[in-house]
Amino acid sequence: MDLMTLALPQEPAGGIAGWAADLVDVMGGPGAGLAIALENLFPPLPSEVILPLTGFAAGQGVISLFSALFWTTLGSVTGAAALYWIGVLFGRERMHALWGKLPLVKASDLERTEAWFARHGTKAVFLGRMVPIFRSLISVPAGVERMRLPVFLALTTLGSLIWNSVLVMAGYWLGDQWDVVETYVGLLSKAVLVLVVAAIAVYVVVRVRSRNRPRAGAEARHRRAG
């Protein structure tokens, strides 16, 4: 019995679920790992679909539960390591050069961000593995800041194992209701995205006001002097 036969009543044989199911059918556990590695590199691929579907496959005996957890975690670490090395290759100097061309930001902003990452980078990498969208992005600054690779890999492995285990086990226990997981995690993803957008909006407003304030003060002094 293959996974597509099992999953067909819950998900069409196309889209992300069909693609992930095909990978698991053809490659077994490594196929699930490949899907999750690609999800790390291309965040629009949703782990909230791939992981529960992999757990469902384990529950139906298509692959073992150990294989599901092992290969999806290995895939997460592989994808994160690729992004880490992109950050390393991009480098701090290029990051500063790019930052200097962006509007509404200053070099001191980036320097403060670097200082924050130096203090809290380990927590950010570990907890970031369990936050939708952010789990992919956090690997790049870790590479730019040259976090020690063994530390990065250890934190990424532990955080990924926790996140993957929750979603894989949810699919395993929910059986043919595995797709319910996508609904709840999807809501979480949207909530996180809204918070990030709101934070960026607040930052831009504060930055614009802080830039306008000295200009308004200079104009007022100029009028008084005139």
Side-chain angles (χ1 to χ4, degrees), residues 30 53 94 99 103 111 116 146 161 168 175 188-189 206 208 214:
L53 180 60
R94 289 181 184 175
W99 190 267
E111 290 167 359
W116 180 90
R146 301 296 180 95
L161 179 60
V168 167
L188 174 61
S189 300
V206 170
V208 169

Side-chain angles (χ1 to χ4, degrees), residues 2-4 18-38 54 57 62-64 67-68 70-72 74-75:
D2 64 29
L3 182 56
M4 283 309 302
W19 168 76
D22 283 339
L23 282 178
V24 176
D25 284 341
V26 173
M27 301 175 62
L34 176 60
I36 290 299
L38 293 174
T54 302
V62 177
I63 57 175
S64 70
S67 178
F70 173 80
W71 285 106
T72 55
L74 181 61

Side-chain angles (χ1 to χ4, degrees), residues 15-91:
I16 298 299
W19 168 76
D22 283 339
L23 282 178
V24 176
D25 284 341
V26 173
M27 301 175 62
L34 176 60
I36 290 299
L38 293 174
E39 179 266 337
N40 274 261
L41 294 171
F42 305 101
L45 293 176
S47 64
E48 59 266 26
V49 170
I50 299 169
L51 291 170
L53 180 60
T54 302
F56 175 54
Q60 298 299 320
V62 177
I63 57 175
S64 70
L65 184 58
F66 174 81
S67 178
L69 295 173
F70 173 80
W71 285 106
T72 55
T73 299
L74 181 61
S76 294
V77 174
T78 301
L83 291 172
Y84 172 91
W85 283 108
I86 288 174
V88 170
L89 294 174
F90 192 79

Side-chain angles (χ1 to χ4, degrees), residues 9-217:
Q10 290 75 42
E11 195 72 31
I16 298 299
W19 168 76
D22 283 339
L23 282 178
V24 176
D25 284 341
V26 173
M27 301 175 62
L34 176 60
I36 290 299
L38 293 174
E39 179 266 337
N40 274 261
L41 294 171
F42 305 101
L45 293 176
S47 64
E48 59 266 26
V49 170
I50 299 169
L51 291 170
L53 180 60
T54 302
F56 175 54
Q60 298 299 320
V62 177
I63 57 175
S64 70
L65 184 58
F66 174 81
S67 178
L69 295 173
F70 173 80
W71 285 106
T72 55
T73 299
L74 181 61
S76 294
V77 174
T78 301
L83 291 172
Y84 172 91
W85 283 108
I86 288 174
V88 170
L89 294 174
F90 192 79
R92 189 172 184 272
E93 291 184 4
R94 289 181 184 175
M95 178 66 77
H96 273 269
L98 175 63
W99 190 267
K101 296 177 182 178
L102 296 176
L104 304 177
V105 297
K106 298 185 295 186
S108 59
D109 295 328
L110 181 55
E111 290 167 359
R112 282 194 294 270
T113 301
E114 290 171 337
W116 180 90
F117 194 88
R119 292 193 303 271
H120 306 291
T122 53
K123 289 181 284 188
V125 169
F126 172 66
L127 296 174
R129 301 307 307 169
M130 293 172 270
V131 179
I133 301 173
F134 191 69
R135 61 176 169 267
S136 293
L137 301 179
I138 191 58
S139 301
V140 177
V144 170
E145 294 301 317
R146 301 296 180 95
M147 173 181 279
R148 290 197 305 121
L149 185 58
V151 174
F152 173 79
L153 292 177
L155 292 169
T156 298
T157 300
L158 183 57
S160 298
L161 179 60
I162 294 172
W163 171 260
N164 292 357
S165 295
V166 169
L167 295 191
V168 167
M169 292 305 299
Y172 182 85
W173 289 111
L174 287 171
D176 59 9
Q177 303 271 325
W178 64 268
D179 53 334
V180 172
V181 180
E182 179 188 0
T183 301
Y184 291 101
V185 179
L187 291 174
L188 174 61
S189 300
K190 291 175 182 177
V192 170
L193 183 59
V194 167
L195 289 174
V196 170
V197 171
I200 292 173
V202 169
Y203 174 82
V204 169
V205 169
V206 170
R207 176 59 61 205
V208 169
R209 287 181 176 176
S210 65
R211 287 196 169 190
N212 289 340
R213 195 174 298 120
R215 187 181 307 165

